Amino acid sequence: MTRSAVALAMGLTIAAFQAQAQNTREVPEYRDPFESLVFMDEENEYQFERSSLRALNVQDPIEGLNRRIYRFNAQFDEHVYLPAVRGYIYVTPHFVREGVSNFFANLADVPNLANSIAQGKVQKSMRTTARLLLNTTLGVGGLIDVAERAGLPQEPEDLGQTLGRWGVPPGPYLVVPFLGPSSLRDGTGRLGDWGLQGEVNFLNHRSYMNRNPWTYGVQAVDLRLNTPFRYGALDSPFEYDQVRYLYTKLRELQIEQ
């Protein structure tokens, strides 16, 4: 298959929120979750399974519980999370939302840097270090993404990817309450990255947030605003299976990069 196979992924899309260039009162359009990936093979392509039993070959020993959590997450998303995001968009101008997103993204570059180093990705580590320095100084503590404008986009690396890079298998598939698709390895990695951010306490942010718990709510809304996932986007009775497969395949690609 060729790049047309990537277009097929749009039919399996976990749709994304994207910040609009203009102040808007609507949740942003859907987009292909694979569009930000850079494929490393010679033809800059990837072979996606069109219809295969391999799509169902995912370790999911607690599927019944996972499906119930998936339904709970979908209802919470519809009735609580997305209304909160829409309200946030309604009451805040675009530049405020952008500043908040940039600030939390700058904090996320701390575990990004640590995991790039742990994976031996020297050039990526240097670019992430440059991002932290530029955005923290010229970007006023990360409120302005100066590095992006200078040609240094964020390059996410998490502990789950690091463990996978060093041969740790994903383990059983998990659906985490409120957070969505994951695995035993990735869920453990998420906790590790969270703990690392707390230990580093970059810009004294964790101490401030602990004193002002409402900031965790802002972070949660910002996270949902920028997370490429929408329940019901597949319009399929087999959405759980498709999301499970798409998440697993996406993580494989991220680890290979």
Side-chain angles (χ1 to χ4, degrees), residues 34-233:
F34 288 100
E35 68 182 6
S36 61
L37 291 176
V38 177
F39 301 105
M40 304 303 291
D41 57 287
E42 292 181 358
E43 298 181 357
N44 197 32
E45 298 167 355
Y46 191 88
Q47 301 295 324
F48 288 93
E49 294 87 349
R50 195 176 184 89
S51 177
S52 168
L53 290 177
R54 283 181 294 173
L56 302 177
N57 188 24
V58 177
Q59 187 181 357
D60 191 0
I62 56 170
E63 181 175 345
L65 176 60
N66 279 335
R67 285 182 179 273
R68 287 193 288 273
I69 296 174
Y70 187 90
R71 287 193 293 270
F72 166 79
N73 285 351
Q75 292 175 355
F76 177 83
D77 201 57
E78 178 183 359
H79 299 296
V80 179
Y81 223 165
L82 288 182
V85 170
R86 294 188 182 99
Y88 177 63
I89 292 173
Y90 186 86
V91 301
T92 58
H94 173 73
F95 77 90
V96 172
R97 299 196 303 273
E98 185 175 43
V100 170
S101 295
N102 290 341
F103 177 77
F104 287 121
N106 191 48
L107 297 179
D109 270 334
V110 173
N112 288 344
L113 175 58
N115 285 293
S116 293
I117 294 173
Q119 293 178 48
K121 297 180 178 180
V122 178
Q123 292 185 349
K124 181 175 285 190
S125 299
M126 294 174 64
R127 291 193 296 268
T128 302
T129 300
R131 274 186 57 85
L132 272 168
L133 291 173
L134 284 172
N135 287 341
T136 303
T137 55
L138 299 180
V140 195
L143 294 176
I144 304 171
D145 195 345
V146 178
E148 174 84 30
R149 300 174 187 180
L152 290 170
Q154 189 173 56
E155 299 177 88
E157 293 288 346
D158 57 65
L159 184 55
Q161 289 173 255
T162 299
L163 294 173
R165 187 86 170 184
W166 289 105
V168 177
Y173 177 75
L174 299 175
V175 180
V176 182
F178 306 110
L179 298 179
S182 187
S183 67
L184 181 60
R185 180 193 64 204
D186 294 344
T188 302
R190 186 189 293 267
L191 289 175
D193 288 332
W194 176 259
L196 174 63
Q197 279 192 308
E199 287 298 318
V200 174
N201 199 20
F202 187 56
L203 299 178
N204 204 37
H205 80 282
R206 187 61 61 83
S207 298
Y208 178 84
M209 293 179 72
N210 288 340
R211 293 193 303 270
N212 300 272
W214 60 269
T215 56
Y216 286 107
V218 175
Q219 185 178 28
V221 171
D222 176 74
L223 176 65
R224 187 63 186 93
L225 178 64
N226 292 287
T227 296
F229 189 90
R230 284 293 298 274
Y231 292 97

